[in-house]
Amino acid sequence: TISEIILSGGDPLSMNDTRLSKLISDLEQVKHLQTLRIHSRLPVVLPERVTRGLCTSLNLTRFKTVVVLHANHPNEIDTTVSEAANRLQQSGTTLLNQSVLLRGVNDQLDTLENLSRQLFATGILPYYLHQFDPVQGAMHFAVEEQVGRSLIRQLQDRLPGYLVPRYVREITGFGSKIPL
């Protein structure tokens, strides 16, 4: 019943192209898998990681490929990130983005609106806006859930539905994200 494999945790694009290509090839032997999803922040912080070899591997696989980027602010999306996104798109890869709602980074309506618009202009669909998970030493980034809900409602007034990310929380033991 499993049709999708997700490479996440750490950052799967920290593997070199040869190792990643071998992993993809091994996964292709599992006949019921149809989709390969890769979650990575590297195309945002190190866009040169989106190499010809990576794009060739994604283009040649039998899988439908999805890369979920991790951009939190519109200023992260510069020309080099746009070029990396374009290379991924040229390989036939669908691009989504997930952000974390962070105090002082993207907890303002205009910032989230601009992020969604900038992502779309780059060919990336906003996918998730995560409620901040309590992490020791980083609680100064926490935004109250009610603020997040209000921001999403306001985004719905300003943006078409496909540009409004799903506001979610991750809860240990649940098989998927919980919509807020």
Side-chain angles (χ1 to χ4, degrees), residues 54-75:
L54 171 63
C55 292
T56 298
S57 292
L58 296 175
N59 187 48
L60 294 178
T61 183
R62 70 170 179 81
F63 293 129
K64 175 66 180 156
T65 57
V66 178
V67 172
V68 181
L69 305 173
H70 297 239
N72 295 311
H73 194 279
N75 289 348

Side-chain angles (χ1 to χ4, degrees), residues 62-117:
R62 70 170 179 81
F63 293 129
K64 175 66 180 156
T65 57
V66 178
V67 172
V68 181
L69 305 173
H70 297 239
N72 295 311
H73 194 279
N75 289 348
E76 291 183 292
I77 305 168
D78 62 12
T79 302
T80 60
V81 172
S82 294
E83 290 168 354
N86 184 264
R87 290 192 300 274
L88 287 166
Q89 291 164 348
Q90 293 301 311
S91 75
T93 298
T94 298
L95 299 179
L96 304 174
N97 185 72
Q98 63 179 19
S99 304
V100 177
L101 184 59
L102 301 167
R103 179 179 310 285
V105 175
N106 61 6
D107 61 337
Q108 298 298 312
L109 179 60
D110 288 343
T111 303
L112 287 174
E113 178 183 2
N114 289 337
L115 175 60
S116 285
R117 291 187 187 282

